[in-house]
Amino acid sequence: MRALAVASVALTCGLASPASAGPKVSVKIETYRIQGKTGRLLMDAMDSRGPKHGFLTRAIAQTRYKVSWDIDWVEKDGRCSASRANAGLALTYRYPEVEGPVSPELKSRWKRFFAGVRKHEEIHGKIATEMVIVAQKSVRAVQTTGDPQCSKAKREAKGRVATIYKEYEARQNKFDAVEHRDGGKVEGLVAALTRR
């Protein structure tokens, strides 16, 4: 599961400066504690303590991300372009953490379950990272004419970013739909953890 992206686009006019390569990405890992002597009890604990997903349900794990922008526009003779367009992506993964003793057999099943959960969440993070890379390149390519105060350029950048975010949000939703469908990978992970 992932929380929707929160994005803010700061558009300011400034002096030219060199653009940096790719977006700055930071990663934070949070955990919530669960206990249980069986796979079923561990699932019950995740169902009651996991990150909120919607109003009444909870997820096993979650990927949240926030996008920030630092954009300076340069105008010369009515032509506007971004002198600096740097994006930042703050990724936060929230995972369950088993505390207390468990049997070696359950520990082994938990290890496989958790590896699958982590892989799922990291794919959400990868999709978010791709989104920010594409958006940053698109903003850096904005050029307008007859735009002495760069207002057209700013609108163009906002429109491009909104379109890219929408496209990648659809990719996130499609990925979840495949992974969480009946018989999908998430169901398989749960079944393997809770067997017996």
Side-chain angles (χ1 to χ4, degrees):
M1 287 290 130
R2 110 221 128 303
L4 298 177
V6 177
S8 89
V9 180
L11 304 171
T12 59
C13 290
L15 300 174
S17 65
S20 68
K24 181 180 177 184
V25 178
S26 65
V27 177
K28 180 179 173 183
I29 296 178
E30 299 175 346
T31 60
Y32 65 96
R33 294 184 180 134
I34 59 170
Q35 292 181 340
K37 300 289 186 186
T38 67
R40 182 71 262 161
L41 289 174
L42 291 176
M43 280 307 305
D44 290 346
M46 287 181 272
D47 286 343
S48 66
R49 302 202 56 184
K52 287 191 176 181
H53 176 65
F55 186 65
L56 296 173
T57 60
R58 293 191 176 264
I60 294 167
Q62 186 180 61
T63 301
R64 296 188 314 267
Y65 51 93
K66 181 176 181 179
V67 183
S68 59
W69 287 91
D70 180 19
I71 305 173
D72 283 342
W73 297 99
V74 63
E75 180 272 328
K76 185 174 181 181
D77 300 326
R79 297 177 61 89
C80 268
S81 60
S83 61
R84 180 178 67 229
N86 298 325
L89 174 65
L91 285 166
T92 302
Y93 297 108
R94 186 162 175 80
Y95 295 118
E97 180 180 7
V98 176
E99 64 178 7
V102 296
S103 70
E105 193 268 338
L106 181 56
K107 186 175 185 178
S108 177
R109 282 191 284 138
W110 173 259
K111 188 175 178 181
R112 285 190 302 275
F113 172 82
F114 186 77
V117 167
R118 186 173 53 219
K119 181 178 179 182
H120 174 91
E121 296 305 325
E122 287 175 351
I123 291 173
H124 279 306
K126 181 180 176 191
I127 294 169
T129 302
E130 290 172 3
M131 174 188 76
V132 175
I133 290 169
V134 170
Q136 181 174 273
K137 285 180 183 177
S138 184
V139 170
R140 287 180 177 174
V142 170
Q143 291 187 359
T144 57
T145 57
D147 192 11
Q149 297 181 337
C150 297
S151 57
K152 289 194 310 190
K154 292 173 188 177
R155 281 193 308 275
E156 175 68 18
K158 284 183 180 180
R160 288 182 182 198
V161 168
T163 298
I164 290 165
Y165 286 178
K166 186 176 179 180
E167 175 190 335
Y168 277 84
E169 186 59 25
R171 288 188 187 184
Q172 296 278 18
N173 291 334
K174 183 177 179 181
F175 172 66
D176 264 345
V178 169
E179 291 273 297
H180 289 275
R181 75 182 188 280
D182 288 343
K185 287 184 182 177
V186 173
E187 186 177 279
L189 290 171
V190 171
L193 179 66
T194 59
R195 73 175 191 263
R196 290 183 205 163

